Amino acid sequence: MKEIYNWGIIGPGRIAGKFASAIREVPRARLYGVASRTLSKAEAFAAEHQATTVFESYEALAQSPDIDAIYIATPHTFHHAHSMLCLAHKKPVLCEKPLAINSRQVKEMLAFAQKQDTFLMEAIWTRFHPNILRCLDWIEKGEIGEPQFLRADFGFYNAFDPESRLFNMDLGGGALLDIGIYPLFLAQLIFGKPEKIQAMAALSPTGSDKWIDIQIRYPGDKLAHLHASVIVDTNIEAEIYGPEKKILLHNRWHNPAPISLYQRQTCLRTETFPDRIGYAYEIEEVISCLDAGKKQSSLLPHAFSLQLMETMDEIRSQCNIVYPQFD
Ligand SMILES: NC(=O)c1ccc[n+]([C@@H]2O[C@H](COP(=O)([O-])OP(=O)(O)OC[C@H]3O[C@@H](n4cnc5c(N)ncnc54)[C@H](OP(=O)(O)O)[C@@H]3O)[C@@H](O)[C@H]2O)c1
């Protein structure tokens, strides 16, 4: 067991900066190295986030004997290639969501991680947040009875830009894979494997989904209504309904936001959580898995990521959302 884990970051873009800040909040993690396609960019990132070493390529970072775990923060369409690169060098991988672009890629990644006997986890940070843990705890304790219906949304406004990661199909553009994955994650966490999926989307001129609306039926007549959009700001809330009570996950529920228990319109109680950068929780989960010699997280196992991607494959097929380079 290591005292301090040396982290490497591949793809120092927007999210990588936040992740680097979170590393500083985890005493047993250190940002050791960063790799970019452009050396000067890696140098600037390393200076800003106090990384020890700059690598001239992703490959050089992946094979460094000084790196203990790698965070992959490139656009979706590179997750498969960059995870495979790190796994080839037997480096534990925390790969940003979505784990890949389709379930064929996910299966290859999971099989390769198993063959290499190396840790791999999708960076669905929300799974480890205290609001989600409390929500599961309340459900487990029967606070709302048997959950019957779930409603969750995630939408934020972006001007159309065919080059941006959110609309460019070569980078995996679209609401579903980028943020629709959060409501789908929550529904799967609560209800499990879908029984029937019905989805509707509107496509942008690049063919990316600018909004997506999904209804899913689960065993036992459970129902989820999920929405994601990259063209309007929505509430970004989630509600889980039992027969008479509900749990409300407040605005920006994918962060460690407050959570309330309601009986009809009456709020029975609200809980808030420490003001801490949310990515720290997933970093701690990776470290505790590596400490224990685990190759996958039991809170976010490989089978969960594969099921999630199979659901998204089905939704994309219903809505004619195609990534021509990959599908
Ligand atoms: N968990 C979360 O809360 C959260 C939030 C936002 C995004 N994400 C995920 O993180 C990933 C990255 O998102 P982001 O918004 O950080 O992306 P971004 O800033 O647009 O790009 C990230 C980095 O990827 C590298 N890259 C490698 N090949 C590239 C290519 N062909 N085109 C563009 N960039 C390329 C670039 O770094 P170099 O050129 O320097 O190598 C770039 O800075 C996405 O998969 C997204 O789903 C997660």
Side-chain angles (χ1 to χ4, degrees):
M1 191 167 115
K2 294 190 75 94
E3 188 47 40
I4 303 285
Y5 282 87
N6 280 339
W7 282 78
I9 293 182
I10 282 181
R14 276 181 294 264
I15 193 60
K18 293 185 188 170
F19 188 85
S21 305
I23 288 179
R24 287 198 290 278
E25 290 205 8
V26 179
R28 291 185 59 213
R30 167 170 60 203
L31 178 56
Y32 180 83
V34 55
S36 163
R37 295 172 300 168
T38 313
L39 190 59
S40 58
K41 199 174 151 213
E43 286 168 348
F45 188 94
E48 185 183 348
H49 296 285
Q50 296 116 53
T52 317
T53 307
V54 165
F55 292 90
E56 76 277 5
S57 68
Y58 295 166
E59 171 115 44
L61 185 148
Q63 56 192 354
S64 164
D66 299 318
I67 299 273
D68 302 313
I70 298 178
Y71 171 62
I72 294 170
T74 49
H76 315 339
T77 43
F78 302 99
H79 291 174
H80 174 268
H82 295 155
S83 294
M84 299 297 259
L85 170 68
C86 299
L87 293 170
H89 293 285
K90 289 190 175 271
K91 284 289 190 283
V93 171
L94 174 63
C95 179
E96 259 309 337
K97 36 60 55 176
L99 192 52
I101 216 75
N102 56 36
S103 59
R104 179 184 52 74
Q105 287 191 339
V106 169
K107 281 179 190 157
E108 283 173 12
M109 293 159 76
L110 302 185
F112 193 52
Q114 202 175 9
K115 176 167 176 282
Q116 294 294 89
D117 198 26
T118 301
F119 181 85
L120 171 65
M121 188 178 98
E122 184 175 12
I124 304 185
W125 59 319
T126 307
R127 174 65 183 90
F128 311 102
H129 288 167
N131 54 341
I132 295 297
L133 301 182
R134 181 67 72 243
C135 173
L136 292 176
D137 181 48
W138 283 357
I139 290 171
E140 173 76 22
K141 289 186 171 131
E143 294 279 16
I144 59 166
E146 182 79 12
Q148 303 291 332
F149 173 62
L150 183 151
R151 194 205 61 74
D153 68 277
F154 193 158
F156 68 122
Y157 166 74
N158 297 270
F160 175 66
D161 171 2
E163 299 305 320
S164 113
R165 189 176 70 66
L166 292 176
F167 296 96
N168 182 342
M169 296 305 267
D170 293 340
L171 301 178
L176 175 66
L177 292 194
D178 199 60
I179 49 177
I181 191 170
Y182 286 104
L184 281 167
F185 146 78
L186 187 66
Q188 186 175 310
L189 186 67
I190 304 300
F191 292 141
K193 185 176 176 181
E195 202 173 66
K196 185 174 181 359
I197 299 169
Q198 263 179 211
M200 193 178 10
L203 305 188
S204 80
T206 59
S208 69
D209 53 306
K210 52 188 183 179
W211 59 253
I212 186 122
D213 205 77
I214 308 157
Q215 288 178 308
I216 305 183
R217 182 187 178 123
Y218 296 87
D221 295 338
K222 313 289 171 58
L223 181 71
H225 181 195
L226 315 170
H227 185 80
S229 167
V230 291
I231 56 161
V232 293
D233 284 324
T234 67
N235 282 347
I236 316 187
E237 287 176 344
E239 296 166 301
I240 302 162
Y241 291 82
E244 286 183 294
K245 292 184 187 163
K246 75 168 180 186
I247 295 169
L248 170 65
L249 292 148
H250 288 262
N251 174 260
R252 298 197 79 76
W253 63 268
H254 63 300
N255 285 257
I259 167 173
S260 296
L261 183 66
Y262 274 79
Q263 179 148 30
R264 304 226 162 81
Q265 302 306 313
T266 308
C267 180
L268 302 178
R269 64 179 187 270
T270 295
E271 222 174 296
T272 57
F273 302 98
D275 185 17
R276 185 183 194 213
I277 182 159
Y279 305 99
Y281 297 100
E282 65 180 355
I283 295 170
E284 287 170 344
E285 171 66 6
V286 174
I287 288 176
S288 94
C289 288
L290 297 181
D291 279 349
K294 290 164 73 174
K295 309 304 175 199
Q296 56 180 302
S297 161
S298 43
L299 294 183
L300 194 65
H302 289 179
F304 189 98
S305 291
L306 179 58
Q307 178 58 64
L308 199 54
M309 188 54 81
E310 284 175 346
T311 301
M312 293 198 289
D313 280 358
E314 169 61 23
I315 292 167
R316 286 206 294 119
S317 126
Q318 289 186 16
C319 298
N320 202 22
I321 303 163
V322 181
Y323 297 104
Q325 286 192 48
F326 304 94
D327 290 331

